[in-house]
Amino acid sequence: MTGAIPVSVIVVSRGRPGLLQRALTGIGQLWYPQFEIVVVADEQGRDAVVGMGWQDRVKLAACDEANISVARNIGIDRATGEIVAFIDDDAVPEPTWLTHLCDPFRDPEVVQVGGLVRGRNGITFQWPVRAVNALGETRNLSLDQDAPFTPAVKEGEAIKTEGTNMAVRRDVITNLGGFDPAFRFYLDETEVNYRLRDRRTVIVPLAQVHHGYAGSDRRRANRGASDLTDIGVSTAAFLRKHAPRAEWEGALKRLYSSQKARLIGQMVDGALSPDVIAPLLVTLETGIAEGRKTPVGEAVEFPASPEPFLPYAPRSSGLSSVFSGRSWRRRTLAMKAKRAVAEGDVATVFRFSPTALSHRAAFNPAGYWEQWGGLFGRSVRDGPCFRWASFSARVQKEQARLSKVRFK
């Protein structure tokens, strides 16, 4: 790719130093030729970057406040790319992520781009493409293509992007006043989407990241909720900022009902015990009360002449390596993959057992991708639970599934 648009990749991290290191390892394997990395982190995260020896390879900024909007604004302040792209510390991008995500910006009318996010099993998409209205409520949109597109939405709706896989022109987000600090978590990027609803947004299905949904002070490692305060704060703040006053109370009642249903579902799945549901709903009510009075619309001023661009120097061959074998060859396959990564390749291990187990995929902290499961099991979850295949044919099928995002 020639004439690439300079991009600043902003990673915000809090309380997850190990995952931040994994995310940076994956970002370091991107095949995009012109990007810098801006890490905004708490003390643990900053120490993790230093522990990797990356303190001179990235722009490192401090943020000890539990507010993702504040942290992202700090990242924008330090960023020098024409485009700022956002990814979470518990996510890892496919090597083609920036290539796909930034291509629509060649059209000067495009101001914002979003990609797709694969969930915990590494295969299923976490969310559909969605629209959001003035109440902060979302609606699923259809997705039937790989090519970039601008979804059709109703009047008063915005195209929603996901905060762990989105990009926006730096001059647009700075002129907009950045992320609103009232949204310290939840609806933070959605509120930006809504302010940009009349500008052109593109969804790029092949711009993909894998998101682990790691534990935090708001959710347990099993994804069970542990605090709903910020959901209440952000929803009430969003309504005050964008919705007609007459619709606030109805929207808040629907929020309460939907969150209660979500908690009950998590209880049924074993992620929560019955005795925590009522206290969690109290945290939601507390958040709503706070969000009714928290200041909204505070614009951030950004420097007119930011610091110099710090191009990331990848240690990449730009090549893909594939290693496949039976499940009992795990150690051997891992050793081969690590050697390939050391030589600069993007490495993938396919490890199949003689079963019908469903597949899972993940980015190993050692720097390679791995997919495991039964030779006869399904990868894409809407496929048959059992399908006969030879080993070589199955490897070829899974390579073909990933061909547009990982393999050259």
Side-chain angles (χ1 to χ4, degrees):
M1 181 177 182
T2 59
I5 302 172
V7 180
S8 299
V9 178
I10 297 174
V11 190
V12 169
S13 183
R14 180 175 174 81
R16 299 194 285 222
L19 288 174
L20 173 60
Q21 291 179 327
R22 187 189 69 148
L24 291 175
T25 300
I27 294 168
Q29 293 183 6
L30 290 170
W31 286 329
Y32 194 81
Q34 182 77 335
F35 72 97
E36 66 176 3
I37 302 173
V38 183
V39 179
V40 185
D42 59 3
E43 185 176 5
Q44 282 184 305
R46 300 193 300 273
D47 288 345
V49 173
V50 173
M52 295 176 71
W54 280 37
Q55 63 271 23
D56 297 323
R57 305 184 73 192
V58 306
K59 292 179 178 178
L60 187 58
C63 183
D64 295 308
E65 183 178 350
N67 187 317
I68 195 168
S69 292
V70 168
R72 284 178 174 156
N73 287 337
I74 292 171
I76 295 168
D77 184 277
R78 297 289 304 277
T80 318
E82 182 179 337
I83 308 299
V84 287
F86 299 92
I87 186 169
D88 290 349
D89 62 355
D90 59 347
V92 179
E94 290 283 359
T96 57
W97 174 56
L98 278 188
T99 305
H100 289 302
L101 190 70
C102 295
D103 190 62
F105 287 111
R106 294 182 183 279
D107 180 347
E109 296 298 315
V110 174
V111 303
Q112 184 179 221
V113 175
L116 298 187
V117 181
R118 294 193 185 271
R120 272 192 162 187
N121 64 25
I123 295 171
T124 304
F125 289 116
Q126 215 162 44
W127 301 288
V129 178
R130 295 180 286 176
V132 62
N133 62 20
L135 305 176
E137 297 172 342
T138 59
R139 177 176 66 90
N140 293 348
L141 303 174
S142 61
L143 173 63
D144 56 6
Q145 62 188 83
D146 283 342
F149 70 108
T150 296
V153 297
K154 298 176 182 178
E155 184 176 354
E157 288 184 330
I159 299 168
K160 177 168 169 42
T161 64
E162 307 303 336
T164 191
N165 187 357
M166 65 178 285
V168 63
R169 293 189 186 275
R170 186 183 185 277
D171 62 346
V172 170
I173 191 69
T174 55
N175 290 336
L176 200 67
F179 287 79
D180 189 335
F183 300 87
R184 58 196 182 209
F185 171 79
Y186 190 73
L187 296 179
D188 38 285
E189 76 278 3
T190 306
E191 198 276 326
V192 170
N193 297 153
Y194 201 74
R195 279 186 280 159
L196 291 174
R197 63 189 178 279
D198 295 326
R199 308 287 297 275
R200 189 174 173 201
T201 296
V202 173
I203 297 298
V204 185
L206 292 179
Q208 297 179 11
V209 305
H210 293 244
H211 185 218
Y213 245 142
S216 69
D217 53 3
R218 294 170 298 272
R219 62 174 176 256
R220 298 170 172 82
N222 64 4
R223 293 185 64 178
S226 59
D227 194 308
L228 304 180
T229 304
D230 285 338
I231 292 177
V233 171
S234 291
T235 303
F238 193 98
L239 292 168
R240 289 172 52 223
K241 193 169 182 179
H242 297 295
R245 189 180 185 93
E247 298 186 38
W248 293 0
E249 300 309 319
L252 290 171
K253 287 180 181 178
R254 289 192 295 277
L255 172 72
Y256 187 93
S257 296
S258 66
Q259 290 298 314
K260 183 177 181 180
R262 181 169 76 100
L263 296 178
I264 292 172
Q266 291 181 348
M267 179 190 70
V268 172
D269 291 340
L272 294 178
S273 59
D275 60 302
V276 304
I277 292 180
L280 282 171
L281 290 172
V282 171
T283 68
L284 178 64
E285 294 171 336
T286 300
I288 290 172
E290 182 181 342
R292 289 181 185 274
K293 58 187 179 182
T294 191
V296 296
E298 294 185 356
V300 177
E301 292 188 6
F302 296 93
S305 300
E307 62 189 274
F309 192 77
L310 180 63
Y312 178 81
R315 297 162 183 167
S316 171
S317 67
L319 301 176
S320 305
S321 293
V322 176
F323 306 96
S324 60
R326 307 289 180 171
S327 55
W328 50 84
R329 296 188 61 223
R330 179 172 182 168
R331 289 187 178 180
T332 300
L333 294 170
M335 288 176 59
K336 291 181 177 180
K338 291 175 184 177
R339 283 198 295 267
V341 170
E343 294 171 0
D345 293 4
V346 170
T348 302
V349 169
F350 292 113
R351 194 174 65 246
F352 302 145
S353 61
T355 68
L357 291 173
S358 294
H359 289 206
R360 298 182 67 86
F363 186 78
N364 191 288
Y368 62 91
W369 295 91
E370 54 185 343
Q371 180 175 325
W372 64 96
L375 176 61
F376 314 114
R378 61 186 177 182
S379 53
V380 179
R381 294 311 197 255
D382 58 3
C385 293
F386 180 94
R387 177 176 287 171
W388 180 263
S390 68
F391 193 92
S392 61
R394 187 58 193 266
V395 171
Q396 291 174 7
K397 179 182 178 181
E398 296 307 318
Q399 278 190 255
R401 182 177 65 82
L402 296 167
S403 61
K404 294 180 180 179
V405 297
R406 193 180 306 165
F407 301 120
K408 287 188 175 182

